[in-house]
Amino acid sequence: MKKIKIAPSFLSADFSKAGVEMEQITLNGADFVHLDVMDGSFVKNISFGPKFIKEIRPYSKAIFDVHLMIVNPWNYIKQFADAGADIITVHYEACGDKLAETLKAIKDLGVKCGVVINPDTPVEKIADVVELCDMILLMSVYPGFGGQKFIPDVLPKIEQARKLIEKSGKDIDLEIDGGITKENVKLVKDAGANVIVAGSTVFNEKDRAKIIKDLREI
Ligand code: DX5
Ligand code: ZN
């Protein structure tokens, strides 16, 4: 079993003190910081872009895990790479027949890459790009907002994705994103997820070191 990594979603942070939030969440034990980029077109919300990421980059040594919920992501990957992303994930639903070339383009920039699928997209759809990826990200809510309820139908998909990864023989992380709480984190780990995104669950808690530790150890 791969090491469990906790990835607080910065979407739930207080942006009026972004540097401090970033510094604290890192000191509190975040392995990754999950950065949700939304364009108001692929999803019905707008968050932040490369300038914001670049300016908070110096406040953390954690892995910057940039989740692009944008149309035509290939137009922006260089900007996010230059801003300090360590890994960039793009949606299968946003890429069409440009998925494989987009993943390769991210790697060519010296950044790790991954593909994301929405709750209603079957895992089989990404079977032929798994080997190109450093991480597979399964959405357990419809993307757009933090604080939504976990969709349990995604559990069998975690098992399927883990099997695909095992079949590839490659060292690929399996990330789960949306509605993760202390109550369901064990379910997603048992199904095979090893990178756990948690936005509201972490940032709504006063003792963030404790909640990160709990999510890691439960
Ligand atoms: C949803 C985002 C998630 C979200 C997670 O579109 O991709 O990363 O911020 O937040 P919680 O953990 O509150 O569901
Ligand atoms: Zn996300």
Side-chain angles (χ1 to χ4, degrees):
M1 185 60 200
K2 279 176 73 81
K3 191 173 169 273
I4 299 292
K5 295 162 199 160
I6 305 300
S9 165
F10 208 68
L11 192 62
S12 294
D14 178 350
F15 291 0
S16 72
K17 41 177 185 170
V20 175
E21 289 275 75
M22 182 56 79
E23 214 163 58
Q24 278 176 359
I25 207 66
T26 308
L27 291 173
N28 286 335
D31 303 285
F32 287 23
V33 178
H34 184 83
L35 294 153
D36 287 302
V37 177
M38 303 175 175
D39 66 353
S41 183
F42 183 72
V43 290
K44 289 198 180 72
N45 196 5
I46 299 177
S47 57
F48 48 77
K51 180 173 188 287
F52 181 80
I53 293 178
K54 190 174 183 181
E55 290 178 7
I56 52 174
R57 178 71 271 195
Y59 293 90
S60 175
K61 287 199 163 68
I63 304 286
F64 267 26
D65 163 29
V66 176
H67 174 193
L68 294 185
M69 285 160 274
I70 64 177
V71 296
N72 303 337
W74 44 85
N75 286 335
Y76 300 94
I77 54 181
K78 176 146 189 348
Q79 287 187 50
F80 287 102
D82 291 345
D86 296 297
I87 176 157
I88 297 176
T89 58
V90 292
H91 270 262
Y92 161 85
E93 299 85 3
C95 288
D97 58 9
K98 288 179 110 173
L99 180 57
E101 65 180 272
T102 305
L103 293 168
K104 286 180 196 152
I106 296 170
K107 297 287 276 189
D108 287 345
L109 292 165
V111 174
K112 290 187 173 182
C113 73
V115 63
V116 195
I117 57 172
N118 280 339
D120 56 1
T121 299
V123 171
E124 299 86 74
K125 298 278 187 190
I126 54 164
D128 52 351
V129 296
V130 166
E131 300 211 351
L132 298 173
C133 294
D134 300 290
M135 187 158 79
I136 306 293
L137 168 50
L138 302 181
M139 293 307 301
S140 42
V141 297
Y142 287 91
F145 298 90
Q148 302 183 77
K149 207 169 169 299
F150 178 78
I151 300 171
D153 293 354
V154 83
L155 286 168
K157 288 174 65 183
I158 302 177
E159 289 173 13
Q160 287 166 24
R162 178 51 72 193
K163 281 196 189 118
L164 274 183
I165 290 171
E166 273 163 16
K167 211 172 106 195
S168 79
K170 300 231 158 100
D171 182 24
I172 301 169
D173 282 319
L174 182 54
E175 182 175 49
I176 184 85
D177 181 11
I180 302 297
T181 61
K182 282 205 278 190
E183 285 64 47
N184 59 27
V185 70
K186 181 148 187 344
L187 286 175
V188 299
K189 287 180 189 171
D190 287 350
N194 73 295
V195 181
I196 312 293
V197 177
S200 44
T201 293
V202 168
F203 282 95
N204 290 349
E205 198 74 41
K206 248 201 153 115
D207 189 345
R208 293 178 184 165
K210 179 164 189 308
I211 184 69
I212 289 173
K213 184 168 182 283
D214 287 350
L215 290 172
R216 198 192 309 283
E217 290 174 3
I218 284 171

